[in-house]
Amino acid sequence: VMAQDRQERAQPRIRLAAETDYGRIENLWTDLYAHHRELGMTMAPGREQFGAWVASMKPFHGRFSCLFIADTPEEVAGFVAGRVRT
């Protein structure tokens, strides 16, 4: 039954996100840093820092920063983001 359930679920599609997609990852971003705190990361930002992170990424989106998301029609399943700084 479990294998059948997995087959029936849509497979995530990995794509380059649009600037409008940043808000869709807030819960995943928050969960990521909560997990980091559980592992002992003392400087992990809280939910209130998500807006600051987005504000630091968006101006450079597509040039010096990128966001990729894995999504299905129902949800965002994951993300990876990066930024080049000199």
Side-chain angles (χ1 to χ4, degrees), residues 9-28:
R9 281 190 233 145
Q11 291 296 312
R13 172 183 65 135
I14 299 171
R15 64 178 177 82
L16 182 60
E19 284 188 47
T20 56
D21 286 316
Y22 280 88
R24 298 181 66 206
I25 67 162
E26 183 173 1
N27 289 336
L28 290 173

Side-chain angles (χ1 to χ4, degrees), residues 6 9 16-17 19-22 25 29 34 36 40-41 45 52 55 57 65 72 75-76 78-82 86:
R6 278 184 268 152
R9 281 190 233 145
L16 182 60
E19 284 188 47
T20 56
D21 286 316
Y22 280 88
I25 67 162
W29 187 92
H36 285 175
M41 184 178 180
M57 295 288 285
S65 73
T72 67
E75 67 180 346
V76 175
F79 77 94
V80 64
T86 58

Side-chain angles (χ1 to χ4, degrees), residues 21-47:
D21 286 316
Y22 280 88
R24 298 181 66 206
I25 67 162
E26 183 173 1
N27 289 336
L28 290 173
W29 187 92
T30 302
D31 290 348
L32 172 67
Y33 283 104
H35 178 69
H36 285 175
R37 277 190 299 280
E38 290 171 8
L39 295 174
M41 184 178 180
T42 58
M43 301 280 297
R47 179 176 289 280

